[in-house]
Amino acid sequence: MSANSRASVVLSVVDMCGITGYVETHGFDSGKAEATIYHMAAKLAHRGPDDSGHWIDADHGVVLGHRRLAVVELSEAGRQPMASASGRYVMVFNGEIYDHEALRAAVRPAPAWRGRSDTESLLAGFEAFGIAATFARSTGMFAAAVWDREARRLTLARDRLGEKPLYYGWQGSTFLFGSELKALAAHPDFQGHVDDPALAAYLKYGYVPAPHSIYDGIRKLLPGTTLTLAPAQRQVDLVPDAYWSLAAVAERGAERPFSGSDEEAVSELERLMETAIRGQLMSDVPLGAFLSGGIDSSAVVALMQRVGGSPVRTFTIGFSETAFDESRAARDVAHHLGTHHSELLVTPAKALEVIPRLPTIYDEPFGDASAIPTWLLAGLARREVTVALSGDGGDELFAGYGRYRRTSRLWSRVASLPPLARRAGGLLLSAVPDALIQRGMMRYSVGDFPNLFSDRVRGFRTAFAADQVDALYDVRVSNWPDPASVLKTTTVPSTAYAALTPFPRAQPTERMMGFDTLSYLPDDVLVKVDRAAMALSLETRVPLLDHRVVEFAWSLPHRFKVRDGEAKWLLKRVLHRHVPPDLVDRPKQGFGVPIHQWLRGPLRTWAEDLLATDALEGRGPFRAAPIRELWQQHLAGRADWQHRLWPVLMYQEWDRTRRG
């Protein structure tokens, strides 16, 4: 412990990039703190196998921990925790600032740079511009914790779109934070009580929507915000401050929409994507890309190839089930572009190997079954590269999901009816029992998905009662529209919509896209990719979520996103400049998994164990009868209830793992 404010830096090279730490307001013990932060950081070794370090300010009970995955500046000059030149700011940082050289150039007077890491660039920015202002002028993905030794304040920060995770919260008199929940859980004050509203919201959506986490008292920092804690004031109710807002971006786009021609729009989007990709090719380690053969990933890879000038390493996953297999399409695109391509076939046996790992990878129940192939894809890529670019975000920015069009059509029909007709229709549909709807749809529907038709009727019920498309879309994206019906508690979930800023000028499709960008994208899609990849020490980057691309997309009139029934119209035109349309213009499959088939076959024994009555009611929070009924219908092939059963199964597996 140094004499200077009794703060110490311990930086040791160990074979173990995540951030963690805590602030203890009572009874701080320096010796105990060193062991505690080492243990917390060790839980993040997969995020940072190259180095570790911690920093302690015993006078104020502040402890920072870091695990490093070295991607840029591989020398000791990139070690963390890192202090600014004056010593005022000390930071742990996870992520990449792609334009940090521009930030360095803006700092006057320029310090004597110790290395070329983006962490050092940010710290110099804090000295020159302040913390929030520095993040607002930076382009990148990140989560950070900054201790201001002069103001005695801790600031947490997260990137604009939520690519990198950050959890925080009070547990007794201790404030905890970290990249993953497992780091917080390693602190002795962590309580680990399941939050009932968060559980209900998880069942509803298949993920825990921010700002909630599955644990009571622990929250997720919202994208595009900073959070400041003054330990001496013992603040309990902390309110994040936004330095970037999608709602404000949408408002500006509505006020000043893009007015150029079709060709000008294509060229501008291509330019912005190239700029983002050029910045994200920054790396001192091998780099590649995920390639599904779809529009988004193909566009990213095509521009990577153009910008980088050498063959890109690409990776894809295939399935033996033809309806879910996109590997041939990816192979065709890779062959056309001339990439170095690798692929892996996902089998039920491989899925069974992955499933027990999921609770540890995700730390909270996660009901998106595509986490299985995502982890396998990350493993395939990690054999050759340390960084992989993905095409995530294209659906949310350019109206790619089919549910947007279906929901908009339904809403337009219902909204055009006179108020009296809408009320009458709603009462009529409300009088029809769900069981009767199910039987009728089973009799007249074709194929294996009668529950989709009955859910559509439930959607009509909601639409007739709603005064905005939001409520209808909320039903559309819900796995369990009424999760309280299968829980022992009667907790009503806080809907993800309730936490979001409205988009008053947006038309229905844009409202749905806004919801997904603020909730589904950061809390499901990006969580899925980040945790799976970082579990294998693979960094992922998402060029389409560069905020300049996002802001341009939200300035575009709707005709650039959907034209003559064709979604992603503009993004496709960029791709067609590099890849022939016949290779990529095909029905969207998504990153689906044949879980409905596997649950009736190779996963049946595993699922039956978790869905047994005593497992659901004795050890779990569920009412067994309604879940067992759906399970029996699914096994008999009378319905496909995978979207309701899988979240239950994942909660059960997560709960079993945490109980040991």
Side-chain angles (χ1 to χ4, degrees):
M1 196 72 64
S2 69
N4 183 14
S5 186
R6 290 198 293 159
S8 68
V9 180
V10 181
L11 294 167
S12 55
V13 179
V14 286
D15 295 328
M16 296 205 258
C17 131
I19 66 173
T20 190
Y22 63 95
V23 178
E24 207 165 77
T25 58
H26 297 293
F28 186 81
D29 183 312
S30 297
K32 191 180 296 184
E34 193 160 322
T36 298
I37 194 61
Y38 182 88
H39 187 46
M40 293 173 70
K43 295 296 183 179
L44 301 175
H46 53 284
R47 297 188 76 93
D50 298 326
D51 199 0
S52 71
H54 65 264
W55 186 92
I56 299 172
D57 185 337
D59 285 341
H60 303 99
V62 178
V63 185
L64 307 179
H66 186 261
R67 302 294 306 207
R68 184 185 183 205
L69 174 67
V71 174
V72 175
E73 180 55 89
L74 307 185
S75 74
E76 293 187 6
R79 282 185 172 184
Q80 297 186 47
M82 186 182 292
S84 63
S86 72
R88 174 176 175 175
Y89 299 102
V90 182
M91 178 169 69
V92 285
F93 175 78
N94 169 34
E96 302 286 349
I97 302 299
Y98 305 120
D99 63 345
H100 77 100
E101 293 289 354
L103 180 61
R104 287 189 172 211
V107 173
R108 291 290 182 270
W113 300 105
R114 292 163 286 178
R116 55 191 186 90
S117 74
D118 50 1
T119 307
E120 186 181 4
S121 303
L122 284 172
L123 286 162
F126 301 159
E127 300 266 18
F129 312 116
I131 295 173
T134 297
F135 285 122
R137 66 191 298 157
S138 300
T139 299
M141 58 174 187
F142 54 83
V146 187
W147 174 239
D148 183 340
R149 298 173 66 188
E150 181 180 304
R152 299 177 183 176
R153 293 179 182 274
L154 178 73
T155 298
L156 306 182
R158 192 177 181 200
D159 64 69
R160 294 169 177 86
L161 278 302
E163 291 184 57
K164 287 300 175 184
L166 190 53
Y167 295 87
Y168 69 93
W170 286 100
Q171 300 283 274
S173 61
T174 303
F175 180 82
L176 304 171
F177 67 88
S179 297
E180 297 182 16
L181 286 167
K182 58 175 63 69
L184 280 67
H187 192 282
D189 288 348
F190 183 79
Q191 297 162 12
H193 302 310
V194 172
D195 182 68
D196 288 338
L199 170 57
Y202 161 73
L203 283 182
K204 183 177 177 67
Y205 298 110
Y207 59 88
V208 181
H212 308 285
S213 84
I214 194 62
Y215 292 116
D216 185 32
I218 303 298
R219 300 169 78 80
K220 300 166 185 167
L221 186 62
L222 293 172
T225 68
T226 61
L227 184 83
T228 302
L229 168 73
Q233 298 174 9
R234 182 61 172 87
Q235 301 157 280
V236 177
D237 296 323
L238 300 169
V239 180
D241 295 313
Y243 65 87
W244 187 88
S245 162
L246 183 66
V249 167
E251 189 70 10
R252 287 198 302 271
E255 291 175 354
R256 298 185 295 275
F258 177 80
S259 58
S261 67
D262 288 356
E263 192 63 21
E264 288 170 333
V266 176
S267 294
E268 179 63 6
L269 177 58
E270 183 178 47
R271 183 190 69 81
L272 289 169
M273 289 178 62
E274 282 189 358
T275 300
I277 288 169
R278 187 175 290 108
Q280 296 191 19
L281 292 180
M282 174 185 72
S283 177
D284 294 334
V285 295
L287 183 147
F290 299 150
L291 178 63
S292 70
I295 302 300
D296 309 339
S297 64
S298 297
V300 168
V301 170
L303 294 179
M304 283 179 69
Q305 193 87 322
R306 173 174 169 173
V307 169
S310 60
V312 177
R313 296 180 179 97
T314 55
F315 308 92
T316 195
I317 288 292
F319 294 90
S320 56
E321 294 85 354
T322 306
F324 294 86
D325 185 46
E326 292 188 302
S327 61
R328 180 175 178 178
R331 197 180 313 130
D332 290 343
V333 173
H335 177 74
H336 174 80
L337 293 173
T339 72
H340 290 318
H341 190 61
S342 302
E343 55 187 60
L344 177 71
L345 183 70
V346 177
T347 64
K350 285 189 174 71
L352 274 170
E353 293 175 4
V354 173
I355 288 170
R357 303 171 186 256
L358 295 178
T360 303
I361 292 171
Y362 290 94
D363 283 344
E364 52 186 351
F366 186 67
D368 188 338
S370 63
I372 296 170
T374 300
W375 191 86
L376 293 168
L377 177 62
L380 175 67
R382 190 62 180 91
R383 298 174 191 173
E384 299 185 35
V385 302
T386 308
V387 179
L389 274 63
S390 83
D392 292 318
D395 290 307
E396 291 81 2
L397 293 180
F398 297 99
Y401 293 126
R403 60 180 181 255
Y404 296 153
R405 297 183 293 281
R406 293 190 293 270
T407 306
S408 292
R409 283 198 299 267
L410 173 57
W411 174 249
S412 65
R413 291 167 186 166
V414 174
S416 65
L417 294 174
L420 185 60
R422 289 178 62 181
R423 285 196 296 271
L427 290 172
L428 180 62
L429 285 173
S430 298
V432 182
D434 283 357
L436 183 60
I437 295 172
Q438 183 78 7
R439 286 196 296 272
M441 294 303 168
M442 285 168 53
R443 175 176 297 179
Y444 296 110
S445 63
V446 177
D448 198 28
F449 306 100
N451 58 293
L452 297 182
F453 291 91
S454 59
D455 278 351
R456 186 167 298 174
V457 174
R458 295 190 191 101
F460 266 110
R461 288 175 178 163
T462 303
F464 275 111
D467 58 2
Q468 186 53 268
V469 71
D470 301 17
L472 178 59
Y473 190 61
D474 191 55
V475 171
R476 174 74 71 177
V477 298
S478 296
N479 294 312
W480 288 92
D482 182 21
S485 66
V486 294
L487 291 170
K488 292 175 184 175
T489 62
T490 56
T491 301
V492 177
S494 57
T495 64
Y497 268 113
L500 303 182
T501 302
F503 298 85
R505 299 199 195 190
Q507 61 165 290
T509 298
E510 271 68 29
R511 292 178 71 87
M512 292 181 274
M513 291 162 57
F515 167 74
D516 282 345
T517 304
L518 289 173
S519 184
Y520 175 67
L521 179 66
D523 296 331
D524 186 310
V525 176
L526 297 179
V527 164
K528 174 181 63 182
V529 176
D530 174 83
R531 304 303 191 281
M534 291 306 298
L536 295 156
S537 302
L538 176 73
E539 179 180 293
T540 52
R541 299 175 178 176
V542 192
L544 287 171
L545 296 185
D546 182 292
H547 71 279
R548 296 162 296 188
V549 175
V550 174
E551 290 168 3
F552 175 68
W554 275 89
S555 76
L556 293 168
H558 188 65
R559 69 180 184 276
F560 289 106
K561 299 165 188 172
V562 180
R563 186 174 299 186
D564 298 326
E566 181 185 5
K568 295 186 183 177
W569 184 87
L570 185 62
L571 188 57
K572 287 181 180 179
R573 297 309 171 282
V574 172
L575 178 58
H576 292 168
R577 288 184 172 184
H578 307 277
V579 178
D582 61 298
L583 287 185
V584 290
D585 286 356
R586 51 193 172 77
K588 178 180 175 62
Q589 287 180 266
F591 207 31
V593 187
I595 288 294
H596 67 290
Q597 298 175 27
W598 293 356
L599 286 175
R600 297 182 183 121
L603 301 184
R604 179 170 178 168
T605 300
W606 165 79
E608 183 62 56
D609 178 49
L610 294 173
L611 298 180
T613 299
D614 63 335
L616 289 167
E617 293 194 345
R619 301 189 301 271
F622 301 105
R623 294 174 53 241
I627 296 172
R628 293 289 305 173
E629 181 181 353
L630 297 191
W631 176 231
Q632 295 305 319
Q633 289 180 13
H634 186 89
L635 289 178
R638 297 198 303 270
D640 174 14
W641 290 115
Q642 62 166 315
H643 296 297
R644 295 192 183 183
L645 293 170
W646 191 254
V648 174
L649 287 164
M650 284 295 95
Y651 178 87
Q652 292 288 84
E653 185 71 37
W654 170 81
D655 192 48
R656 180 163 67 178
T657 299
R658 78 186 185 103
R659 292 176 186 270

